[in-house]
Amino acid sequence: MMLEGHGVVKVAFHYLETAHQGWLAVRRKDHGICHVRSDEMTRRDEDGEPLYVPLLAMTLSDQPDYVFLVMGPEGGEPPLLWIRHFSYRGAVLPFRRVDIVGHEGRIGLRNLLRSSLCCTAQPWNSQGGVNEFLGDCSHLMGWEQFQLHEVAATEELQRLGEDMAAHFRMFPSADDLEQLIDTYEGSHLVWLLDAMMPVAAWSAVREVGQRLLERPSLREALLRQAGSSPWRDGWQCLARWLEDRESYPAAERGCPLGDDVLTWGQADALAGFIHATLHAARASVKPRKRVCMMSTIRNEGIYVLEWIAYHRSIGVEHFFIYSNDNNDRSDLLLKALHDEGVITFIENPVQPGMSAQTKAYGHGLNVLPNILDYEWCFILDGDEFITLAPSYRTVGEYLQGFSRWESDAIALNWKFVASEVNRDGLADLVRPLTQRNRDIVSRGGIGEGWRLVKSAVRPGRAIQSRPHHPVWLQADRFTYRLSDGSIHSYRNPPPGIGADPAFADGGHYEDIYISHYYYKSIIEWVWKYARNSGLDGAMSFGVERYADYWANAFICQMNDPHEGQNENVLNRADGLLEEMVKLRSIAAIAQAENIVRETWQERLLALLDMVEEADVASRLKEEWRYVLDPLAEERLGSIPLHQV
């Protein structure tokens, strides 16, 4: 295809053959790029649709140093292509082209955002003819070389190529990008912008984000071609919320199954131009309030009210809670709390293999606008409690003092709280957890786990979060500190673990830490391992996960000498109980909590019968079986209900 302009531009499309005589292809189900053997390329799903489509490399003769990976447009909807361990996602993925000397048409693909890295195709194994295509290889040898095979372009691809030849430019300014959005009349605006995002200065992208926020007509011109995506919705939600922060319904959109796209690819990889400008716009919002919390909770209804009441008593102003597939009926309690304005409850449906946490955090930090009204957001689980030194009445006072340092996130050390035997049987399950579990496990009782952190973050500054730390944009400045104000450098990871912000180099507990009520009691330890984890939101409820490692983890902390009582939490009992009384004085909340308690008792007793029937004790080493001995005492009696 030849185009006339200031000169003749040749646009060509190519298949990419690997050194394994396979092909680079796109999985149709999630648009991930993979390495596929020739015979696998013809496989189809149960509906007769192909599982893979060929990946295409577009080349422009006036940009000889670059190659653009694309997927043939399907119905006009821009795809989100992504590569494992690669720092960008989009409808077009641009790379610096490396021509292999002595081999016509053989190239390497070098990362434009990190020039030391290139892409590699992993070989297949005996299990099948499909494997990963990776973006983090530090050398360029045989596995990193790809042979270009030119192919005839469809009419739609020809139009895309013509638009790329006419509009793509290196290092576009904010004015260039704005003019393109304003004046472009074709159907490939997202493709063009996604191709230019990695070669634009972040300052230009940030400026366009601000202009999109301030100019509704410019924003609408962009979003008209954006297709359906959570980032497009994020732009619309943000604009609506800024018009009236008080009345915007935070949970209206929800976090539907389709938002699983938030979990695709590398956590710190921007999802194209729309995501990049949305992030820039969100970062510019000025918060009016001090502190909120974001959490994913499942089957923890019996603890929810205490967790909320405790944190309200130390000044947390609002809670954004995501939940999915509860079988303890805690949805009813979360809904009652939502209806009273205590929390924002967002339903977060997932499918097997999907991370409920990653999906929820991606939604909260990219789509949900209301969270931006808070200066700080603590990202904690339902068994983690902010623990302040007695000198601080509220967490806001701590944060006020912390403001002497410029910071975008704070890493907070964990302290594990030891288990207790529930001497009053099932009735103890509704005693405040923070009062019945009193002792702190020593560092020796949990190995390197004592170095794990949880985090507070300025919500407009993160693009995603892992369970222990926020994820930020590498192109932008981001300051991450420990709770004493020093920089969180995570340079000394535990043995066998690479540098990871989940681990602190030391412990700082003087002003604040997170009390982690991980163990509780043996009956609750049994319950914990019967339900799913946040890393796979649809794991089944059952007895499959009881094994030696499960028993050993509990025994280690149980036999630990402990380092003393958790006085900083125990001394806040009055404020906790006052808030719990307030919440339970609302009939709808008390009634919903009763239903949760009844369901918990029914399911817990059924689980204990399953444990006995499956003879779980026989799976454990004989010297560890005593871990189950307190179950007989802890299952006695019943869980009391409120008189409503």
Side-chain angles (χ1 to χ4, degrees), residues 188-457:
H188 299 113
L189 180 61
V190 172
W191 280 263
L192 297 173
L193 293 169
D194 283 3
M196 286 190 278
M197 228 306 292
V199 296
W202 178 246
S203 57
V205 176
R206 185 193 296 119
E207 175 61 27
V208 176
Q210 195 61 39
R211 295 180 191 182
L212 288 165
L213 197 60
E214 296 168 354
R215 281 190 55 199
S217 61
L218 184 69
R219 186 171 65 246
E220 289 307 310
L222 173 64
L223 299 185
R224 273 196 300 272
Q225 293 207 32
S228 58
S229 77
W231 299 284
R232 176 185 183 276
D233 292 353
W235 261 116
Q236 294 176 325
C237 293
L238 179 62
R240 285 182 55 198
W241 174 71
L242 287 173
E243 290 174 359
D244 186 356
R245 296 194 188 190
E246 295 301 333
S247 64
Y248 178 79
E252 180 180 72
R253 178 189 178 276
C255 185
L257 267 176
D259 281 1
D260 67 328
V261 67
L262 293 162
T263 71
W264 295 355
Q266 188 165 299
D268 66 349
L270 285 169
F273 182 82
I274 292 174
H275 183 196
T277 52
L278 172 62
H279 174 65
R282 286 173 64 92
S284 72
V285 172
K286 302 300 182 187
R288 303 176 303 172
K289 304 171 187 178
R290 177 57 62 83
V291 59
C292 69
M293 294 181 72
M294 178 168 61
S295 183
T296 58
I297 288 176
R298 182 176 187 266
N299 285 340
E300 296 181 278
I302 207 164
Y303 311 112
V304 164
L305 214 63
E306 177 189 1
W307 185 78
I308 291 171
Y310 173 88
H311 287 107
R312 279 166 61 100
S313 76
I314 61 168
V316 175
E317 296 162 85
H318 196 68
F319 305 81
F320 297 95
I321 297 180
Y322 294 78
S323 194
N324 63 283
D325 302 304
N326 290 292
N327 48 36
D328 69 349
R329 304 194 72 185
S330 53
D331 286 15
L332 297 175
L333 179 55
L334 295 171
K335 181 68 164 56
L337 290 161
H338 174 92
D339 290 344
E340 294 295 330
V342 177
I343 70 170
T344 294
F345 169 41
I346 300 174
E347 295 188 40
N348 181 32
V350 294
Q351 292 177 334
M354 191 183 297
S355 170
Q357 275 190 330
T358 306
K359 179 169 172 273
Y361 295 159
H363 178 275
L365 296 172
N366 291 279
V367 182
L368 183 69
N370 309 63
I371 202 170
L372 300 173
D373 222 4
Y374 297 87
E375 186 179 356
W376 289 98
C377 177
F378 285 76
I379 302 177
L380 301 181
D381 294 335
D383 58 358
E384 296 167 338
F385 291 73
I386 299 170
T387 306
L388 298 167
S391 56
Y392 298 106
R393 186 177 59 86
T394 68
V395 67
E397 291 181 359
Y398 165 77
L399 293 170
Q400 183 63 40
F402 198 85
S403 66
R404 68 174 65 94
W405 298 291
E406 182 178 311
S407 183
D408 298 295
I410 309 170
L412 308 162
N413 286 99
W414 253 352
K415 283 198 175 187
F416 284 80
V417 181
S419 67
E420 299 281 353
V421 176
N422 291 339
R423 300 296 182 188
D424 289 333
L426 295 177
D428 272 352
L429 292 176
V430 295
R431 284 180 55 209
L433 181 63
T434 51
Q435 299 300 306
R436 65 179 164 100
N437 289 66
R438 308 172 70 85
D439 293 328
I440 297 172
V441 182
S442 73
R443 293 182 180 183
I446 51 174
E448 294 288 351
W450 70 268
R451 292 172 57 183
L452 285 165
V453 301
K454 299 296 285 201
S455 298
V457 65

Side-chain angles (χ1 to χ4, degrees), residues 610-630:
M610 291 168 62
V611 168
E612 188 173 338
E613 183 178 336
D615 194 15
V616 165
S618 67
R619 304 178 188 175
L620 309 179
K621 290 182 179 179
E622 188 171 354
E623 63 268 27
W624 290 351
R625 293 176 186 173
Y626 72 92
V627 71
L628 298 172
D629 290 348

Side-chain angles (χ1 to χ4, degrees), residues 73 109 111 191-192 198 317 432 505 513 537 545 559 570 572 591:
L109 300 172
N111 189 336
W191 280 263
L192 297 173
E317 296 162 85
D505 290 341
Y513 57 89
R545 290 181 288 281
N559 293 339
L570 294 170
R572 295 187 184 267
Q591 290 167 352

